[in-house]
Each structure stands twice: as structure tokens, then as C-alpha cells.
């Protein structure tokens, strides 16, 4: 295809009007913050272009080093050696840690990273610190992410010669809304406005939609609907979507995800090589961190090699009198990580099931992300989808950021004379949202895989005679027991006029707008009245802050079932 | 910005397309269509005006004999028009309302089971409250297990609804209801 003879002036200083169709609106950049690596891309007027840092890298390590007074991240920082990242001064894996409480298994799995992750196991945010001049200096995942994003922003601003404000960020599917608010907060700290948060595989699906559209333009493809499964696995998360694509519209049929990634493969492998490693490194002294770092680098290296060869020789001196000298073959690696691979498989199967798609209907199967090089991963997706071949048209490490950049251009209102941006993603919710009712169960109001923007309502009623107050507790998740889900917030409706139980109609409505903002509305009406008997409550969620595990327990202790609600049975 | 909701300058940020309107709280057994009515009043009124007695088929712009590929195609075309990512910034709120309706129509008609139920309602002229009625069948599995019972119950509930409409709806037309709502709304202002 010939390059168009002009480009959109990306350095125009137009600000404020955002999505106006006049002049040159600001094109949002796409950012893929990986657990391990990150990248930035932008629609340059004719195609998506990945931005490079001063060292000419398109993929940059996601970490921040705290040294003296000024922290520096993997965008600008030049590492003399991989080991420097493992000296205790560098914080990484922030995408796995952000917005999680200290009872979360993912936080616990992060305790043997070469920096300090301390938990009290009471449902508060974990203590995270970097070692600076033999002092553990505390920080937070938000702060680390913000420092890193500032570096990315500056890098992009220098190259594009304009201020950057709007971004489309790709995110893992399984993050809770609480975690998303933390990511948005980190962006705000970095001076960035989040135009869209886009689940990674849906970004890949958009890129696929564009490629299919391109083929039609080039008279190579048919215009019929194509159904694709996208499997995306990086260091932190494993995510799957099923998309139906036609005419540049990518309609997300179902999403599924899990905080299972390369980091877990690595840790299992480290445990396999040095069975008591967690105990050995539990005090996080400088020497322990160094040994831990050496083991980590050697193991990572071995896993990478096992993607391309059958066996690998590991020989590493941990400097504390322990030397690991071992040949590991691929079967061993797959056996050690059997549970992880099973999890990946079940996430894929669940997604296919939720999408109500037969595997024969799949046009393409796309496997991307850092773990897509692992033969076992490719094979398991192939076997679930009964395919011989995987889709070849994408760079597995760049697909997500390219999709995010496309979304950035589309959502900024940019159009392309060649029709390359005649695209649309119709997103769906990854997790169900509902309220606690019928005792201690989660009654979903917006089920998972509901198309967004969405609005759903459900009618509840009181459980006691003359119950004047009801407590609406909003959760997100798929577990049946309410408290096993993520608590998003709660509020009370008060002053309901006395009525027998089951009579007041408590209408709970939830809506999600295009930018994924959740609003919960609740109102009460009594038979015979045309107007709500108390003012309607309108609450933007999430409202809870730290310690949400506590809140639910405290509410239960304080109120028991006195303020409960139940669903209205199907009788009129 | 005609409707005074023009926060759309920074798209998708604080441009809430829903402003509160309590009229969604009408009792579900009064008159149809009983459904949630958010959105600013003017917009809702405008859409209701346009929607009036629109069936899902009319909403999608396809004949009642339309095939599944036709439904899909119509849906995707309308999505490209109404989805907030691509709609004109000053009409995001209104178009989002439309998008949600189109989505509802598509979801109903693209599933042979729900389409059959809807067609039945349509033939009886009671289709306007279709989704509301289905709403409180929150348990999808249960719904699948007892399809026959749903059919039976929905028919029964429709009979009741119709007999009630004769009472409640008899003295109040759709237009009268809208006018009253408008009055109430302006009073609140």
C-alpha cells in the first residue's frame, strides 16, 4: 500500500477541545504498561508507530530505581547490568501489586521479589519499600507507576514535540474497579488523562479488526463476520477474549482473565531449583537480595532458552556458598508449572463458553504477549481451539500497544481518508457487578460480559416488617458468596415509611458509561405512589478506600441482617 | 450545546451522559412501558418521541422476517453511529441512550429463544415492556432451565398487565403521561 503523501500534524498545539472534529484534535497515545515491559505507540496519520527511547528501544523495562534523592525508571535509565535491577533499589511488578490488599495471594507471591513487600494479613495495603543506602524507603505501587508514566510522557513529548495529555492504557482483564481507580490515580499523578482503559486482549482484537478491514480494502478478504479468540499472556496476567469482527467493528463477546503469568512460572522454577529459597531470603538482607537476584536472572534466562531448545544448563553461584548446577529440560519445566498451564487452559475454555461460540466457528486464534513464545502455551491454546495453526499477522510483543494506539485515535475523533480508522470496539464488562441480597449472596445486576455502555436494573424488597432502612452493599466479581468478591462501596437508604415486608419496591439500577464509570442508583416506591417515597440515591463507585476487607466485616458486625434486602420473586 | 449537558469537551472524562431523572421509579404495574428512564429529560423525551411505538425491528431498521446476518449487520451499522466512541461530541448523551436501546434490540433478536418470545409479544401488541419484564429473572441458569415456565408466566403476567392497563392506562394516554412528567420536571427545576 502506498504511503499517503501527507501526515496529520501531530505537533499541533490544539488543546481543550479534545474530540472536536475541527482542526487537529489531540491524538491520544496508547500505552501498554506490562508487568515486565512497556511500550508507547501513536497513530502517526497513516499508521501506528511505536515510539523509541533515547537508546532506540521500543520495549522498555517496567521498573523504577530509587537512588539517592531522584528515582529513575526503565525508560531513561541505563542499566549497567540486569543485576542492578535486583539490588533492592528497584521496584517492579507494580502492575501486579497495584490496588491489592495484603491478604491477596498475588501480594504474598510478591514477597520474594528483591525489594520489600511486607504484609500484616489483615486486609490493608501492603508495605512496599526500596533499599536506598541501606535504608528501606517506603513507596506505593501508584507512586512507582506514576514516576514511570512521567518518564514515558516526557519521552513521548520530546518526540512528538507537543504536550501529551490523553492516553489509552491497556490493562489486564481481571483487575477490579478499585484497582482501576488506582491506575487512574497514578496517571493523574503523572499528568495524564485516561481516555480509555482497554483490556489488553481487546486492544489486540481491535488491531485484528483493522487488519481484516485492510484485507478487504486490498481485495484479499471477505466481508463476512470473523470470530477470533485472543489469548494474551505476559509476566503478570493471562487474559482471553472472543471477538466478532465485521466491517471494522470489533464486538467483544466475552472476556476472561487471571493474575497468572510469567512471574508465576519464574517463581515456581526458582522454588524448583532452590526448594527452600523463600526461607533463605526471608530477611531481605543485602546479601540475600543479591543471591535472590542472581537466582532470578539465571532462572529467567533458562526459561527464555527453553522456549527455543529442549534443555538448558543452569550454573549459578549465589555467592552465599550455594551453587546451583543443573540441567533442566522442557518436560521438567512444564511439570513444575502444570497448575499454571491448567489455569491458562481453564481461562480459555471459560471464555469460549461465555462467548457461546463453537470452536469450529473461530476464524482465527491469536496468541500474543511475552509468554506466547513458550511452546506449552501455544500448544494448549491450539489444543483447546483444535487448531493446527495460530494467527501469524501480529508481533506478539507489540499487538496490545498498537491496538491501544488505534483506540486512542478513534476515541480522539480522528478519521483517516483511507478508512484505516473506520473502527470501533464494543467493549463488555469483565466482571459482574451486583449487590448483597438474599442473605449473603451476590445478586448480579450487570452480569459479566454485558456490552458497555450498559444500564440494568433489578427490584428488591425488604425482609422485615416496618423496615425503614436498607443497606445496599455493592460488589464486583463472580463468587456466589458476597464477601468473596471485591467490595466497591455501600450506602443506606433511610426513612422508608413503615410497610409490611416485601411491599416496598427498592429499585436498584446500575449504569456504566463509555469511559467505564459505574453509577449505582437506588430508589424506593410504595404501591399507590407515583413518586419515590425517599430521595433517590445516586452513588459513583467505587467509594471504598483501603481496607475494604474490613468494611464488609464491620458492616456485618454492626447491622447483621437488620438492613437486608431480597430479590422480588417472580410473582405479580 | 443544546441540551446544557455539554461537558463533552474532554470526551469520556466527566462527560456524564446520565443526569438523574426519578421517573424511572414508576411502579412497574401501572402502565407500560415501565422501564428505567435515565438521561436528561429533554433527551429522554426526544427519544421517547421518536421511539414511541418503535419495535425492535423498527429500531434496527429491518423487516420482521430479517435473518440473523441482517440483524447483525444492522446492529453493527447502528453501533458505528451511536457508540459514544464515534458519536459527535455534542450528542454523546443522546446517542448513548440510543446505543443501549439498539443493543437491547440486538440481544433480544439475535437469540432465537428470546426472539420467539418477543415476536409473540409483538403480535399481541404488548412488546414495549418486553425487557423490563425479563429483568427480574436475574438468574440466567434458572431461566434456561425453566423456559416453558417463563413462557407460561410471561403470558400470564401479560394478561394481568393488560387488564390493569385497561384500568390504569384508560384515563391516561402516553402523551398525557409525558406532559405530566414534563410538568413535574420543570417544577423540580
Amino acid at each position: 500500500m502506498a504511503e499517503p503523501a501527507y501526515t496529520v500534524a501531530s505537533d499541533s498545539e490544539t488543546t481543550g477541545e479534545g474530540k472536536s472534529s475541527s482542526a487537529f484534535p489531540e491524538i491520544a497515545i496508547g500505552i501498554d504498561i506490562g508487568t515486565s515491559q512497556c511500550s508507547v505507540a501513536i497513530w502517526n496519520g497513516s499508521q501506528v508507530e511505536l515510539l523509541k527511547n533515547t537508546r532506540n528501544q521500543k520495549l522498555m523495562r517496567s521498573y523504577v530505581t530509587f537512588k539517592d534523592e531522584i528515582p529513575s525508571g526503565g525508560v531513561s535509565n541505563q542499566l549497567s547490568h540486569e543485576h542492578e535491577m535486583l539490588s533492592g533499589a528497584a521496584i517492579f511488578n507494580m502492575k501486579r501489586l497495584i490496588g491489592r490488599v495484603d491478604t491477596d495471594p498475588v501480594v504474598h507471591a510478591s514477597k520474594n521479589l528483591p525489594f520489600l513487600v511486607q504484609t500484616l494479613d489483615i486486609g490493608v495495603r501492603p508495605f512496599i519499600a526500596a533499599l536506598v543506602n541501606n535504608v528501606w524507603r517506603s513507596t506505593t505501587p501508584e507512586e512507582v507507576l506514576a514516576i514511570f508514566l512521567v518518564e514515558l510522557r516526557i519521552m513521548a513529548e520530546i518526540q512528538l514535540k507537543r504536550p501529551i495529555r490523553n492516553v489509552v492504557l491497556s490493562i489486564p482483564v481481571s483487575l477490579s474497579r478499585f484497582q482501576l481507580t488506582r491506575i487512574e490515580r497514578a496517571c493523574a499523578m503523572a499528568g495524564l488523562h485516561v481516555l480509555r482503559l482497554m483490556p489488553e486482549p481487546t486492544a489486540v482484537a481491535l488491531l485484528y479488526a483493522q487488519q481484516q478491514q485492510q484485507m478487504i480494502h486490498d481485495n484479499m478478504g471477505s466481508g463476512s463476520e470473523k470470530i477470533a479468540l485472543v489469548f494474551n499472556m505476559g509476566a503478570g496476567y493471562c487474559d482471553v477474549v472472543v471477538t466478532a469482527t465485521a466491517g471494522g467493528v470489533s464486538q467483544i463477546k466475552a472476556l476472561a482473565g487471571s493474575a497468572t503469568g510469567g512471574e508465576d512460572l519464574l517463581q515456581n522454577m526458582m522454588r524448583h531449583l532452590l526448594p527452600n529459597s523463600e526461607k533463605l531470603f526471608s530477611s531481605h538482607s543485602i546479601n540475600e537480595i543479591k543471591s535472590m537476584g542472581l537466582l532470578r536472572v539465571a532462572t529467567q534466562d533458562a526459561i527464555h532458552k527453553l522456549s527455543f531448545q529442549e534443555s538448558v544448563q543452569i550454573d549459578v553461584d549465589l555467592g552465599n556458598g550455594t551453587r546451583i548446577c543443573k540441567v533442566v529440560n522442557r518436560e521438567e519445566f512444564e511439570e513444575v508449572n502444570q497448575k499454571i498451564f491448567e489455569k491458562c487452559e481453564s481461562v480459555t475454555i471459560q471464555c469460549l463458553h461465555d462467548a457461546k461460540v463453537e470452536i469450529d466457528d473461530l476464524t482465527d486464534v491469536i496468541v500474543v504477549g511475552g509468554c506466547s513464545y513458550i511452546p506449552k502455551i501455544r500448544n494448549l491454546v491450539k489444543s483447546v481451539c483444535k487448531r493446527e495453526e495460530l494467527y501469524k499477522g501480529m508481533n506478539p510483543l507489540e499487538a496490545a500497544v498498537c491496538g491501544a494506539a488505534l483506540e486512542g485515535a478513534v476515541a480522539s475523533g480522528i478519521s483517516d481518508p483511507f478508512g484505516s480508522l473506520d473502527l470501533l470496539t464494543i467493549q463488555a464488562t469483565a466482571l459482574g457487578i451486583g449487590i448483597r441480597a438474599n442473605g449473603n449472596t451476590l445478586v448480579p445486576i450487570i452480569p459479566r460480559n454485558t456490552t458497555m455502555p450498559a444500564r440494568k436494573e433489578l427490584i428488591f424488597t425488604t425482609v422485615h416488617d416496618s423496615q425503614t432502612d436498607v443497606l445496599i452493599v455493592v460488589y464486583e466479581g463472580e463468587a456466589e458468596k458476597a464477601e468473596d468478591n471485591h467490595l466497591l462501596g455501600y450506602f443506606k437508604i433511610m426513612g422508608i415509611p413503615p410497610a409490611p415486608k416485601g411491599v416496598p419496591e427498592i429499585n436498584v439500577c446500575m449504569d456504566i458509561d463509555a469511559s467505564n464509570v459505574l453509577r449505582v442508583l437506588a430508589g424506593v416506591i410504595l404501591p399507590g405512589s407515583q413518586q419515590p417515597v425517599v430521595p433517590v440515591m445516586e452513588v459513583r463507585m467505587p467509594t471504598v478506600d483501603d481496607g475494604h476487607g474490613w468494611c464488609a466485616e464491620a458492616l456485618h458486625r454492626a447491622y447483621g441482617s437488620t438492613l437486608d434486602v431480597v430479590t422480588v420473586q417472580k410473582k405479580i | 450545546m443544546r441540551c446544557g449537558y455539554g461537558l463533552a469537551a474532554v470526551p469520556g472524562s466527566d462527560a456524564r451522559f446520565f443526569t438523574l431523572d426519578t421517573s424511572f421509579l414508576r411502579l412497574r404495574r401501572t402502565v407500560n412501558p415501565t422501564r428505567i428512564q435515565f438521561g436528561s429529560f429533554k433527551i429522554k423525551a426526544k427519544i421517547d418521541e421518536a421511539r414511541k411505538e418503535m419495535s425492535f425491528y423498527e429500531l434496527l431498521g429491518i423487516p420482521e422476517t430479517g435473518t440473523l446476518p441482517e440483524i447483525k449487520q444492522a446492529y453493527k451499522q447502528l453501533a458505528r453511529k451511536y457508540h459514544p466512541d464515534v458519536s459527535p461530541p455534542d450528542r454523546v448523551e443522546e446517542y448513548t441512550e440510543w446505543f443501549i436501546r439498539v443493543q437491547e434490540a440486538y440481544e433480544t433478536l439475535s437469540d432465537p429463544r428470546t426472539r420467539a418470545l418477543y415476536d409473540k409479544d409483538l403480535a399481541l401488541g404488548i412488546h414495549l415492556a418486553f425487557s423490563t419484564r425479563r429483568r427480574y429473572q436475574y438468574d440466567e441458569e434458572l431461566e434456561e432451565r425453566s423456559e416453558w415456565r417463563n413462557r407460561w408466566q410471561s403470558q400470564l403476567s401479560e394478561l394481568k398487565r393488560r387488564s390493569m392497563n385497561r384500568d390504569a392506562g384508560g384515563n391516561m394516554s402516553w402523551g398525557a403521561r409525558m406532559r405530566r412528567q414534563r410538568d413535574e420536571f420543570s417544577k423540580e427545576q
Side-chain angles (χ1 to χ4, degrees), chain A residues 101 111 228-229 255 364 389 394 401 438 469 550:
Chain A
V101 289
K111 281 163 90 170
L229 178 132
L255 309 93
D364 285 301
E389 289 293 321
M394 282 180 200
V401 75
N438 301 344
D469 297 357
W550 282 9

Side-chain angles (χ1 to χ4, degrees), chain B residues 133-144:
Chain B
R133 203 175 54 249
R134 299 189 66 75
R135 278 290 153 68
Y136 46 92
Q137 297 164 358
Y138 65 93
D139 190 340
E140 208 176 303
E141 276 171 309
L142 188 84
E143 190 184 330
E144 271 164 29

Side-chain angles (χ1 to χ4, degrees), chain A residues 311-354:
Chain A
S311 68
V312 65
Q313 165 80 44
I314 296 165
D315 187 354
V316 54
D317 188 343
L318 300 183
N320 58 355
T322 314
R323 184 174 165 191
I324 296 167
C325 189
K326 202 171 185 311
V327 175
V328 179
N329 61 30
R330 203 181 271 175
E331 285 75 52
E332 210 173 330
F333 166 73
E334 289 172 5
E335 208 177 288
V336 166
N337 287 301
Q338 197 192 346
K339 285 227 166 68
I340 304 291
F341 295 126
E342 279 169 8
K343 181 74 198 169
C344 299
E345 209 168 72
S346 76
V347 170
T348 313
I349 292 167
Q350 192 207 317
C351 191
L352 275 167
H353 175 264
D354 286 354

Side-chain angles (χ1 to χ4, degrees), chain A residues 228-250:
Chain A
L229 178 132
V230 182
F231 179 99
N232 179 28
M233 186 168 172
Y237 295 87
C238 160
D239 294 331
V240 185
V241 304
V242 171
T243 177
T245 295
V249 179
S250 162

Side-chain angles (χ1 to χ4, degrees), chain A residues 512-526:
Chain A
I512 300 176
D513 70 10
S515 22
N516 202 10
V517 174
L518 171 68
R519 203 176 57 156
V520 180
L521 296 115
V524 185
I525 31 178
L526 288 171

Side-chain angles (χ1 to χ4, degrees), chain A residues 388-407:
Chain A
E388 295 295 315
E389 289 293 321
L390 297 172
Y391 186 72
K392 289 202 180 72
M394 282 180 200
N395 179 330
L397 300 180
E398 296 176 3
V401 75
C402 290
L406 284 174
E407 177 74 12

Side-chain angles (χ1 to χ4, degrees), chain A residues 81-115:
Chain A
H81 192 270
E82 180 81 350
H83 295 153
E84 195 188 298
M85 203 177 125
L86 308 166
S87 63
I91 306 271
F92 52 94
N93 277 14
M94 47 260 193
K95 202 167 78 171
R96 291 254 281 194
L97 290 165
I98 198 160
R100 290 186 195 271
V101 289
D102 67 354
T103 43
D104 193 314
V106 175
V107 173
H108 279 257
S110 304
K111 281 163 90 170
N112 44 343
L113 293 175
F115 53 89

Side-chain angles (χ1 to χ4, degrees), chain A residues 16-21 165-166 193-196 213 225 227 244-251 253 356 407 410-413 421-427 438 443-444 447 449-459 503 505 507-515 517 519 521-532 534 536-538 540 567-572, chain B residues 1 8-31 34-39 72 75-89 92-93 96-97 99-101 103-104 106-107 110-111 113 131-140 142-144 146 149-150 153 157-158 160-161 164 172 177 180 184 188:
Chain A
E17 271 307 295
K19 203 178 170 174
S20 78
S21 52
R165 180 161 155 76
N166 291 339
H193 168 245
V194 178
L195 194 59
R196 292 282 184 275
Q213 192 68 345
E225 185 180 68
I227 297 174
T245 295
V249 179
S250 162
Q251 186 193 356
K253 293 273 198 187
K356 299 187 178 81
E407 177 74 12
V410 172
S412 303
L421 287 179
D422 290 348
L423 302 171
L424 177 64
T425 308
I426 303 174
Q427 293 280 4
N438 301 344
V443 175
N449 297 321
T450 299
T451 297
M452 294 193 288
R455 182 185 312 136
K456 302 271 179 191
E457 65 167 322
L458 205 58
I459 296 166
V503 170
E505 278 194 6
N507 193 333
V508 180
C509 171
M510 295 188 176
D511 59 35
I512 300 176
D513 70 10
S515 22
V517 174
R519 203 176 57 156
L521 296 115
V524 185
I525 31 178
L526 288 171
S529 72
Q530 288 291 321
Q531 286 295 309
V534 289
V536 171
M537 306 290 291
E538 181 192 353
R540 277 179 69 179
T567 46
V568 174
Q569 295 307 304
K570 279 191 287 174
K571 57 170 197 254
I572 294 186
Chain B
M1 303 281 175
V10 184
S13 61
D14 290 325
R16 298 288 76 78
F17 50 81
F18 304 127
T19 51
L20 186 64
D21 174 5
T22 56
S23 64
F24 77 98
L25 287 167
R26 263 172 294 150
L27 271 180
R28 68 165 186 274
R29 34 180 124 63
T30 50
V31 276
T34 43
R35 51 172 301 125
I36 276 203
Q37 307 261 330
F38 290 114
K72 280 188 180 175
Y75 164 68
K76 286 198 174 164
Q77 255 167 19
L78 289 170
R80 294 188 62 142
K81 182 174 175 194
Y82 292 129
H83 193 280
D85 274 6
V86 287
S87 56
V92 169
E93 186 178 3
T96 302
E97 288 290 320
F99 179 80
I100 289 174
R101 277 162 215 247
Q103 180 68 32
E104 194 181 331
Y106 164 73
E107 276 172 17
S110 59
D111 180 340
R113 194 166 46 91
S131 339
T132 315
R133 203 175 54 249
R134 299 189 66 75
R135 278 290 153 68
Y136 46 92
Q137 297 164 358
Y138 65 93
D139 190 340
E140 208 176 303
L142 188 84
E143 190 184 330
E144 271 164 29
S146 58
R149 204 194 303 154
N150 284 342
Q153 257 177 347
S157 70
E158 272 323 310
K160 288 197 180 176
R161 188 187 301 275
M164 279 205 228
M172 193 172 262
R177 228 164 51 239
R180 196 189 58 192
E184 279 162 8
E188 279 167 32

